Amino acid sequence: VQLQAYGGGLVQPGGSLRLSCVVSGSIFSINSMAWYRQAPGKQRDLVARVTSGGSTNYADFVKGRFTVSRDNAKNTVYLQMNSLKPEDTAVYYCNADVRVAWYNDGGDYWGKGTLVTVSS
């Protein structure tokens, strides 16, 4: 199972970016999908998660600004980021709980991360 994230880059404060993450490989089904972030010198924090049923939860620091969604047909999770702030600067990692077979409960997989820099 591989996760590949796209969409990072440099954006000015107040701007928007959309991240995408495609899950590929031996997939029976995908349970939850999520985005985490890690700023230099800090721990990795959950940003947002979406379940297989579409329920979402967000970290307080992004509520009202970020939206997580998924396309099950494409095995893809998205993160729409609006009203970006300099403190949103971090490497963003996608995460997925993937079942590789019907008898498998699921396993935790990570992408390599994509850098988001918010600066004027």
Side-chain angles (χ1 to χ4, degrees):
V1 176
Q2 298 84 39
L3 280 70
Q4 180 66 56
Y6 303 91
L10 174 65
V11 63
Q12 292 187 339
S16 298
L17 276 178
R18 189 191 194 208
L19 305 182
S20 304
C21 177
V22 180
V23 184
S24 62
S26 178
I27 301 168
F28 176 75
S29 65
I30 303 175
N31 297 327
S32 65
M33 306 177 83
W35 290 95
Y36 287 72
R37 74 185 190 187
Q38 187 168 21
K42 296 189 176 181
Q43 67 181 20
R44 188 175 298 189
D45 292 322
L46 174 68
V47 175
R49 175 178 283 116
V50 55
T51 68
S52 57
S55 297
T56 59
N57 65 284
Y58 296 90
D60 286 343
F61 52 76
V62 303
K63 281 182 180 177
R65 301 188 297 126
F66 291 11
T67 302
V68 64
S69 61
R70 62 191 282 173
D71 184 332
N72 292 327
K74 296 181 179 180
N75 293 333
T76 300
V77 61
Y78 304 97
L79 185 68
Q80 178 66 43
M81 304 185 292
N82 298 329
S83 302
L84 283 160
K85 306 174 182 180
E87 51 264 43
D88 293 319
T89 295
V91 177
Y92 284 71
Y93 297 90
C94 56
N95 167 268
D97 180 12
V98 180
R99 295 178 65 191
V100 297
W102 64 268
Y103 50 81
N104 174 248
D105 289 335
D108 213 24
Y109 295 88
W110 292 87
K112 291 185 177 180
T114 184
L115 178 63
V116 173
T117 303
V118 185
S119 175
S120 55

